[in-house]
Amino acid sequence: MRRLRVLEGCCLCVGLQSRPTHPGGRGRVMGSAPAAGPTVAAVATSLLERLQDNEGDRVQTYRQLERALQGGDGCLQSGVLNRLIAEASGDIRAAQGVTDDVRTAASDILVALAGSHFHFVMPELQGHLKALRGISEEFVFVTLGKLASSYALQCIPFAGMTLLALRTVLSRVGSGRVLRAICGVLEQWSKGVKTYFRSWDKCPFPRIGDAQLCKHIYPLYCYVVQNWLGCEEEEDKQAVLRAVAAMIGVLLHQEQHREYAWDQLLLYQDTFWAARDWTMEEPCNSMMSQVFLGLVQLRKLKPSLSREECCNLLAECCHTILSLPSKEEMEGRGKVARQTRNIQTLHMLCLEGLGRIIVALLEAEVTSACFEDVVHVLQCWLTSAKVWERERALQVCAHLLGDCEERFEVMRGCACKHFGFLVGLLGPLTTESLATSRRWAGVCLGHLLQIQAKTRNVAPEAGDIARLRKGLDTTDDVPLLQTSNEIAKTVCKYFPPAQATDFISTITESLKCTRDKRAWAAGVWMTTFLEKCGQLIHQEVPEVLHILYSRMQTMQQNTHRPFLLRAVYLLACFHHEPVVDSLLQKRLPMDRDAMELWRTLGRSVLGVQVLKYLTQKLEAVGENSPGSHSSAHKLDHSQAALESLMLPYAICEVVFMLPAKERVQRLLPRLLPGLLGEVSKALGEVMLLPHLRCQRGLFFNAPRSEDKPCSPYCEALELVLSRCMEKRWLLLLWRQGVWASLKNPWAHADGVCLLTSALLRNRLVSRGVIWALSQWLNSPSRNLQLTATAFFAELMKDPPVMEKKFLESVLGVLVEKSQHRISAVRQMAVRGLGNAVRRAPKEVHKHKEAILEVLQRGLENTTCPEVAAESMLALAEMVRKLKAEGLGSAFKDIARSTKMFFEAEPDVLRSSAFSLYAALAASASGKRSFFAREVGETWVSLLLHLRDPDPEVSNVCRTTLYLCAPFLVSERVQEGIVTSIGLSAAQLQYEVCHCLVRDAPAMLERLYSIARSRHLENGQALHPAANAVLGDILEKIRGLSSSCQQQE
């Protein structure tokens, strides 16, 4: 009985994996098969005719046909296919006159045909199972075995019918050849079922349950065990043993069949060991002899074991021995005490034998790969959900590592190459619920440290090994965790940094055990390792972080998730730059896990360091942007692209969690240019002209810009400034639509101006910010040029006192930018010049001629209304500061040019022109006669546009008319305008018309003349809206004239 377990464990893997399955079959026998290509069809038809006419060597013909089928797509027409199947079936079932070579060749043809016509071949073979006529049927079974070996998964839908048919022929087997052939069928179909258990998700048909397939295997297993295990012939015994092993491999997947399989083997143990060839001279109770018997049996079968086959053999042995129910379970199932004791005794010996089998396998092939296979087989048992299985696996592992330590020279230090993996596996097991398991875990770690010390050619410190086993017998959780932590500290002394990835990957698996002390122990071991060894693992940081991040994604609700966050923090304490680099390589969109990691870093003491490094990365992104010629920070293109996408999200999360806002303010001179620059570049290569607002500044009443799609850098900028400004300013920026404007290419420049105005009022425009944005003025990026020009345009309105000398040099740049080929840049440059005139008149006097020339030239730019309008607004500022005397002859030129825009179509031009004309009127005391003549020509436009369709133009025009009134010839008209200026536009026009009719016939005649020609005296056509108003005014004048005549 004692020999049985080992032999069974060895025999379970005697039959090795089948060949890869072929794609699914097609059609049915009575249907039509897919049409074949002409070459294959011609060859198949020709060779089929030779077979039917009995011409030539049939074996050679079959082989030629097989090669033809394998060389093409294998598809045949249904007529040829059916005749070929019939011919081959006749040969494999022929009672006389057919040699075994022909039968073999015919069998191979059917297997080849099954590659593309499986559903044609299988029903044919199932039909042959209905009758058994003797030895000639042997090749039917041989063919069935080949099909299962070649097309395992495709056979599964036919398994029920095929195995049921086999049951009907078992009792009629009359020869050893047929018996061996049937055993081959049982072996291959059982292996096919096991393949299906592993790969059912790759099958196109609905899943067939494990219990259903085991139900078909079970009766066959019972019959073979009861009737064929005692066969005499050695060849027959080997075939039976392989079939039994394969069927056991299937039945062990079901609990109810597993119990019976064990009992049947125990019942028939004498049949196994009565055979003369399987006895040995050593005592039967020697476990080593039993293991050796199993290995001898493997040698008899002459298997050529590959690495995969060795691994499968070991896995089957472990499954057989380690999965035995515990003593308590067996007693609970009604086992008698004697039977339980016998099984437990046998099992203890088998555990020792299993360890020796493993050592024997390692000694046979001493390679790191072989040791790795052994360890990974044991891993599934060391992490089993059943405590007794983990205990048994620990005992086997202790035996293995003990032998590795004793045979250090022979084993070549294989265990050391997997030190990290083994420690990650064994460390949490020091807190197992069973004291024996904890002790075994301590023993395993002791062996590992001894092996590692030998590898490094050092002696372990005194007490290190003994310390591993102290305190593991306690039943109190808190002291036990403390003991486990002390063990972890000891192990860290010997830890090779290069194996950090293996350790972290393995130990984090234990964190998934939500209700197990192992998870707490795993968290303690992981954090202790990073505290003690974190500084040494610089090269492994990306992989370690990837593992931690991956585990977070699978532990969303796990109570041990904080351990992972703590681990990332500890890693960043030593290597915050590689940690940040790795996190920036995570794909968008940023999920909850990445967000939580960034926030963890932000709220920690590392928050400022992380933000500084993110700022450095932000500057590097700007330097490596398309068109940049900087040679610094040359990054891989894909890496840089991904970092640029992730940076704003990371900055947002870190800034949001950073405890002190003062730290953010200190970094603002670097953050603000970086974020604003990326917002600008994201708007495209060429931004369209921004819509000009006649009343510029932060406090004008304007509707919010329509929100645009998400702009991560803009949102990051908003969040950064929220940590630097008071809430009232943030609310004002939001109401003015600054953030929406910054994201909008049509309003970006205005958004920059508004933002700059708020920054100035909050004293956040530092020398660093000014210097950084000044570099953009000559940037290859036209977007950055526009953003910088808009910034300085607004800065000129209220420059910091300490920076006025620097800004004087900016005036020259603005003059230069006013000639830029992009109209939006020209517009912002002109706006900046106007603001400079308002706030820095002394500096402007130094550049008066150049600025006047630029602004006057802007009036000539009829192709860009916005630039002309901005030039007029800037000129209005110069006129107010310099007056007529300071402007000299330019005063007249400006006045003549301005009136040409009174009837312009764009509202912005009319508004700007009236604003400039008002400034001229207010400053014309030194040019009174000249300006009086000008007003004599322009008063009609001023009168008509009091009712301009644009309210802004109408309001500006009222002010201009009021300032121009003193320059009119008729004093009564002057008085009428001044006294009625507070009336509505229509009423004011009525009062002026009344004065014209009564006191200014010359002016009235001029109005009639314009009405007749629909053109002003300078040849400019009236605006369509002005024409309509003029008609209304003429009606009023007629009425007033008639009334006056009646009164006279």
Side-chain angles (χ1 to χ4, degrees), residues 447-469:
H447 290 315
L448 271 179
L449 291 196
Q450 291 282 16
I451 296 170
Q452 183 69 3
K454 290 181 180 180
T455 303
R456 297 166 61 181
N457 200 23
V458 296
E461 294 183 16
D464 277 356
I465 303 300
R467 193 179 298 119
L468 298 179
R469 303 175 187 177

Side-chain angles (χ1 to χ4, degrees), residues 745-790:
W746 289 271
H748 175 78
D750 274 326
V752 172
C753 291
L754 293 172
L755 178 62
T756 305
S757 181
L759 292 172
L760 286 168
R761 285 164 173 76
N762 283 269
R763 299 182 179 179
L764 295 176
V765 179
S766 65
R767 179 170 298 176
V769 172
I770 292 175
W771 182 88
L773 269 72
S774 69
Q775 305 305 302
W776 297 356
L777 290 171
N778 295 311
S779 169
S781 168
R782 292 177 289 184
N783 287 34
L784 291 182
Q785 288 189 43
L786 175 57
T787 300
T789 308

Side-chain angles (χ1 to χ4, degrees), residues 535-569:
Q535 191 172 4
L536 305 175
I537 60 171
H538 179 82
Q539 298 296 330
E540 289 72 28
V541 168
E543 291 186 31
V544 169
L545 188 66
H546 175 73
I547 293 167
L548 295 172
Y549 181 77
S550 300
R551 296 292 185 266
M552 288 182 67
Q553 293 179 312
T554 60
M555 295 170 58
Q556 296 296 329
Q557 306 299 328
N558 196 302
T559 55
H560 306 303
R561 185 179 171 91
F563 280 119
L564 297 173
L565 299 175
R566 172 73 176 169
V568 174
Y569 164 73

Side-chain angles (χ1 to χ4, degrees), residues 195-259:
T195 300
Y196 176 74
F197 287 162
R198 295 191 301 268
S199 310
W200 62 268
D201 55 337
K202 299 177 183 176
C203 299
F205 49 84
R207 184 178 181 182
I208 301 174
D210 295 3
Q212 184 176 352
L213 292 170
C214 288
K215 179 181 177 182
H216 296 310
I217 298 287
Y218 179 70
L220 296 166
Y221 168 80
C222 293
Y223 184 91
V224 172
V225 169
Q226 294 173 16
N227 296 280
W228 290 357
L229 278 178
C231 54
E232 297 277 335
E233 294 295 329
E234 182 65 27
E235 192 176 0
D236 295 347
K237 285 190 295 186
Q238 293 181 18
V240 171
L241 185 59
R242 287 194 296 268
V244 169
M247 288 189 287
I248 286 177
V250 174
L251 295 177
L252 289 178
H253 284 77
Q254 280 290 308
E255 186 71 23
Q256 64 184 84
H257 299 308
R258 183 187 307 154
E259 181 94 10

Side-chain angles (χ1 to χ4, degrees), residues 184-386:
V185 174
L186 294 174
E187 178 188 356
Q188 295 302 330
W189 280 72
S190 296
K191 289 181 179 180
V193 171
K194 287 181 65 178
T195 300
Y196 176 74
F197 287 162
R198 295 191 301 268
S199 310
W200 62 268
D201 55 337
K202 299 177 183 176
C203 299
F205 49 84
R207 184 178 181 182
I208 301 174
D210 295 3
Q212 184 176 352
L213 292 170
C214 288
K215 179 181 177 182
H216 296 310
I217 298 287
Y218 179 70
L220 296 166
Y221 168 80
C222 293
Y223 184 91
V224 172
V225 169
Q226 294 173 16
N227 296 280
W228 290 357
L229 278 178
C231 54
E232 297 277 335
E233 294 295 329
E234 182 65 27
E235 192 176 0
D236 295 347
K237 285 190 295 186
Q238 293 181 18
V240 171
L241 185 59
R242 287 194 296 268
V244 169
M247 288 189 287
I248 286 177
V250 174
L251 295 177
L252 289 178
H253 284 77
Q254 280 290 308
E255 186 71 23
Q256 64 184 84
H257 299 308
R258 183 187 307 154
E259 181 94 10
Y260 184 80
W262 276 98
D263 289 344
Q264 286 291 311
L265 284 172
L266 290 171
L267 179 64
Y268 288 97
Q269 59 176 310
D270 292 337
T271 305
F272 276 95
W273 300 106
R276 179 180 54 204
D277 294 338
W278 290 5
T279 59
M280 296 198 59
E281 295 179 359
E282 287 88 359
C284 290
N285 61 357
S286 168
M287 193 60 196
M288 193 60 189
S289 67
Q290 296 171 35
V291 174
F292 186 70
L293 279 173
L295 295 176
V296 167
Q297 181 59 26
L298 288 177
R299 291 294 182 186
K300 281 188 175 184
L301 298 175
K302 297 181 179 179
S304 178
L305 296 181
S306 64
R307 177 184 175 185
E308 181 181 4
E309 292 163 348
C310 258
C311 192
N312 289 338
L313 168 64
L314 182 59
E316 293 289 357
C317 289
C318 288
H319 186 275
T320 303
I321 296 173
L322 300 182
S323 64
L324 182 74
S326 65
K327 177 182 178 182
E328 292 75 14
E329 272 204 344
M330 286 191 288
E331 290 176 348
R333 295 177 182 179
K335 298 287 186 184
V336 297
R338 180 180 60 81
Q339 190 178 13
T340 299
R341 283 195 302 272
N342 290 341
I343 294 176
Q344 289 296 315
T345 301
L346 173 63
H347 189 259
M348 290 174 59
L349 295 174
C350 284
L351 281 174
E352 182 182 353
L354 178 58
R356 294 182 181 178
I357 287 178
I358 293 173
V359 174
L361 288 174
L362 287 175
E363 289 180 339
E365 185 179 355
V366 184
T367 62
S368 177
C370 184
F371 186 86
E372 180 181 353
D373 292 339
V374 171
V375 171
H376 279 87
V377 168
L378 289 175
Q379 181 184 11
C380 66
W381 299 101
L382 289 170
T383 57
S384 168
K386 298 176 180 178

Side-chain angles (χ1 to χ4, degrees), residues 740-930:
S741 296
L742 288 175
K743 297 181 286 186
N744 188 338
W746 289 271
H748 175 78
D750 274 326
V752 172
C753 291
L754 293 172
L755 178 62
T756 305
S757 181
L759 292 172
L760 286 168
R761 285 164 173 76
N762 283 269
R763 299 182 179 179
L764 295 176
V765 179
S766 65
R767 179 170 298 176
V769 172
I770 292 175
W771 182 88
L773 269 72
S774 69
Q775 305 305 302
W776 297 356
L777 290 171
N778 295 311
S779 169
S781 168
R782 292 177 289 184
N783 287 34
L784 291 182
Q785 288 189 43
L786 175 57
T787 300
T789 308
F791 170 81
F792 284 105
E794 189 67 24
L795 192 64
M796 287 297 180
K797 187 186 295 184
D798 188 18
V801 176
M802 65 184 70
E803 302 300 334
K804 284 191 175 181
K805 184 171 288 188
F806 170 77
L807 292 178
E808 185 177 346
S809 64
V810 176
L811 273 175
V813 177
L814 292 178
V815 170
E816 179 185 345
K817 293 295 179 185
S818 66
Q819 307 301 315
H820 202 279
R821 61 186 179 189
I822 297 177
S823 57
V825 176
R826 295 202 304 273
Q827 180 184 356
M828 290 298 107
V830 169
R831 179 180 294 185
L833 292 174
N835 290 338
V837 170
R838 181 189 305 174
R839 290 296 182 181
K842 292 181 180 179
E843 288 77 8
V844 170
H845 272 290
K846 299 177 183 179
H847 304 277
K848 180 179 70 173
E849 289 77 10
I851 294 175
L852 276 173
E853 181 183 355
V854 166
L855 298 181
Q856 286 183 273
R857 191 184 302 122
L859 300 184
E860 301 170 3
N861 191 346
T862 57
T863 60
C864 184
E866 287 79 7
V867 174
E870 199 73 61
S871 298
M872 286 188 280
L873 292 175
L875 281 170
E877 295 293 340
M878 288 204 75
V879 170
R880 293 188 188 100
K881 293 293 181 183
L882 300 179
K883 306 299 182 182
E885 296 80 3
L887 291 171
S889 61
F891 183 89
K892 295 181 180 180
D893 295 335
I894 294 172
R896 295 187 184 106
S897 299
T898 303
K899 65 185 179 182
M900 301 303 295
F901 295 98
F902 286 174
E903 302 301 325
E905 183 65 29
D907 299 339
V908 68
L909 284 177
R910 298 198 304 280
S911 174
S912 300
F914 289 136
S915 295
L916 175 55
Y917 212 72
L920 289 168
S923 306
S925 58
K927 303 284 183 179
R928 185 172 184 83
S929 59
F930 164 76

Side-chain angles (χ1 to χ4, degrees), residues 946-967:
L946 285 172
R947 288 164 61 187
D948 193 278
D950 183 271
E952 194 68 35
V953 175
S954 175
N955 291 334
V956 175
C957 184
R958 178 187 292 267
T959 302
T960 305
L961 179 63
Y962 177 79
L963 292 173
C964 289
F967 295 93

